[in-house]
Structures are given as C-alpha cells and as structure tokens.
Amino acid sequence: MNDRTDSVTQAFVTHRNLLFTVAYEMLGSAADAEDVLQETWLRWAGVDQTTVRDQRAYLVRITTRQALSHLRTLGRRKESYVGPWLPEPLLTAPDVAEDVELADSVSMAMLLVLETLAPTERAVFVLREVFDLGYDEIAEAVDKSPAAVRQIAHRARAHVAARRPRGVASATETRRTVEAFRRAVETGDLQRLLDILAPDVVLLTDGGGVVRAALAPVVGADEVAHVLGRIAAAMSLRSTQVNGDPALIVRLGGEIDTVIALRIDDGLITGLYAVRNPEKLSHLERETTLRR
C-alpha cells in the first residue's frame, strides 16, 4: 500500500463513525446508511487529494449527497410500506446516552420528527443542529447558497421545535419507569401498566407486512395496556439502550422478536415504538458506535 492510499484509507476509517451517524440520522435506516458509506468510500478513493483542504468536511459532503439520493428512493419505498414505518433500531453504548444532544438526535421520537421534513430540510437540520457545521460547508453539501441554507435551517428548526419530545427525564426516573414497565409487561399486570402510561400514550408497531403488527397507531392508556398485556409469558424481556433511549428487547425461543423503545416525559411513558420487522433487527446483536 503506497503512502497516498494509506492516507486516503486512514482518513475514511478515522471519520467512519461520524459519516455513518450523518447518514443514519438522514435516513433512519442502518442498512441504507451502510450503503451510503460504501458509495462514499468509492468516490473518496477517486478524489484528487491535492484539491482537499479539509478531509472531514469533504467526506461529510460526499456522504450528505449520497444520503440525499437514498432519502428520495427510501421515500418511494415508504409509500408502499405496510403499516407504520419506524426507524431501524440500533443497540447503542452507554456513552451515547451520556451525550444528551446526540441521544436526542438519534432517538426514535426525534427520527420520526425528522421524517416530517423535506429531504434538503432534513439534511440542513442534521448538519447544522447536530453536527454544528457552518452554513458555507452545508451549502456545498446540499448545492444551495449560504443564504438559502440559513432560511432552510430557520424553517426546519421551527418545524422540529413544534414537534420534538416535551421533556427530559432524569436517569434515576428513567430507570425506575423502565423497570416498572418491564415488570408490568412480564406479569401482565394491567393496573401497573396503567399507572405508568400517559393517558394519551401512543404505540406504533412496525411489522413491515412480514410479521403481525397493528396497521395503525394504538392510542390511549387503556388500549395500549390491553395490547401489551397480550405479550406471552414465554417471552423474555431485557432492558437495554436503543438509539440512546431506554428500551426492551423481547426474545422468543432465544431469538429477537421485537424491540420496544420508550419515550418518557415527566415520569410517564408517552410513546412506545415496537419494531418487529425482522429486516430491521439485525443491528441489535452488537453495539453501534455513533459520533458527532
């Protein structure tokens, strides 16, 4: 391996986790994010390095452009998706939860908010609000003028602010609520479930038409508790961190059957995101490293 090849490879490896995080936050799909990284590498390997002033910025620009292309394709796939579409869950290390801004940006709740943005708005919001890139850098990545990017960023920020999760629970409160939820589900204790579910709690289940799942959101504590009460006692539940948030991994016969991510506000569970589509569960056997 010559010095140029070694330098090019090292730069990509150094920033790989950052690039994956950028692509994942734009797409909500780990599989598509991995495809974006492969395409980014192929383009990066062919770049004349004498024209590159900042390797990190250049790599982020390539990744953003490839992710935008995938985002439009992914949008067409979602139009024919059976039932609610949820982001692909990632098993994340504890340090992700400790980075409050990163955990918020990759949470199921936030990724669903980002789904309501147009592709370019999503790219601008992610690059500006999560990765703190300058407007000039973002403008090069999305092929817009810096002035246009400022306007897009302002519009996207207001859009997200009106829809983002309401509050942040303390670590102690979160652990207590998750443990109470796990015990209630394992024992089928409907009253205990009702005690920790917000009156307007929403349960979304993603089966992708492959496995059984509700085809519409389940709304209200009574309805959600009734659905959760049907989880078989034969299933084992393990508390974990998914996308920086508390979650339960449900196993049946030793195999992962479902992952349930929780959204907690003021000590009550306000959102439940249950992913059952087997095609979306492959990243739950190992931790995924995310970086800002």
Side-chain angles (χ1 to χ4, degrees):
M1 184 180 290
N2 59 41
D3 290 342
R4 179 198 176 278
T5 303
D6 186 55
S7 173
V8 168
T9 302
Q10 185 58 48
F12 183 81
V13 171
T14 297
H15 298 298
R16 189 188 188 285
N17 292 334
L18 164 70
L19 302 178
F20 176 86
T21 308
V22 170
Y24 176 72
E25 292 208 21
M26 286 183 61
L27 300 169
S29 165
D32 284 285
E34 292 287 0
D35 288 344
V36 164
L37 257 61
Q38 290 183 27
E39 293 164 8
T40 297
W41 163 249
L42 291 174
R43 283 160 177 75
W44 173 244
V47 169
D48 178 358
Q49 292 294 311
T50 63
T51 67
V52 178
R53 297 189 305 275
D54 183 331
Q55 290 181 323
R56 177 181 182 274
Y58 202 104
L59 280 163
V60 168
R61 184 160 70 246
I62 298 174
T63 299
T64 300
R65 288 176 175 173
Q66 295 307 310
L68 277 171
S69 176
H70 273 257
L71 191 56
R72 295 180 178 106
T73 301
L74 190 57
R76 290 192 290 273
R77 293 210 307 262
K78 289 174 189 172
E79 291 175 2
S80 59
Y81 199 79
V82 178
W85 182 95
L86 289 174
E88 188 174 345
L90 301 177
L91 187 66
T92 48
D95 64 340
V96 173
E98 292 167 7
D99 184 337
V100 177
E101 290 185 3
L102 177 59
D104 175 64
S105 70
V106 298
S107 70
M108 286 287 194
M110 178 56 74
L111 290 175
L112 286 175
V113 171
L114 295 182
E115 284 291 311
T116 64
L117 294 171
T120 300
E121 287 180 329
R122 184 167 183 170
V124 169
F125 180 87
V126 167
L127 295 178
R128 180 63 182 172
E129 299 300 316
V130 181
F131 299 98
D132 199 29
L133 265 64
Y135 291 113
D136 289 345
E137 286 182 272
I138 299 172
E140 290 187 24
V142 300
D143 293 323
K144 301 284 185 183
S145 69
V149 166
R150 285 180 182 274
Q151 291 181 338
I152 294 170
H154 176 76
R155 186 168 63 245
R157 194 180 302 118
H159 181 96
V160 170
R163 294 164 176 80
R164 75 188 312 149
R166 293 193 292 268
V168 178
S170 69
T172 300
E173 184 180 54
T174 295
R175 283 194 297 271
R176 184 167 56 244
T177 303
V178 172
E179 182 58 24
F181 176 76
R182 185 183 65 79
R183 288 199 305 269
V185 172
E186 282 182 331
T187 60
D189 189 334
L190 291 180
Q191 185 54 54
R192 181 176 286 179
L193 274 174
L194 290 171
D195 289 342
I196 55 176
L197 294 175
D200 58 350
V201 63
V202 177
L203 166 65
L204 297 175
T205 58
D206 179 343
V210 180
V211 296
R212 185 177 179 182
L215 298 180
V218 181
V219 182
D222 287 336
E223 292 296 324
V224 170
H226 198 63
V227 171
L228 293 173
R230 298 185 199 135
I231 292 181
M235 291 185 175
S236 65
L237 281 70
R238 179 172 67 87
S239 300
T240 189
Q241 291 276 340
V242 167
N243 290 56
D245 271 347
L248 292 176
I249 290 181
V250 182
R251 290 180 181 270
L252 180 61
E255 299 294 325
I256 295 178
D257 178 87
T258 308
V259 60
I260 306 174
L262 310 179
R263 172 176 161 182
I264 300 170
D265 295 295
D266 300 323
L268 294 176
I269 296 171
T270 58
L272 292 157
Y273 312 101
V275 180
R276 303 203 65 224
N277 185 345
E279 295 177 0
K280 293 186 176 184
L281 299 178
S282 62
H283 282 74
L284 293 171
E285 297 288 3
R286 64 188 186 283
E287 288 183 351
T288 297
T289 303
L290 301 174
R291 289 286 180 268
R292 281 200 297 141

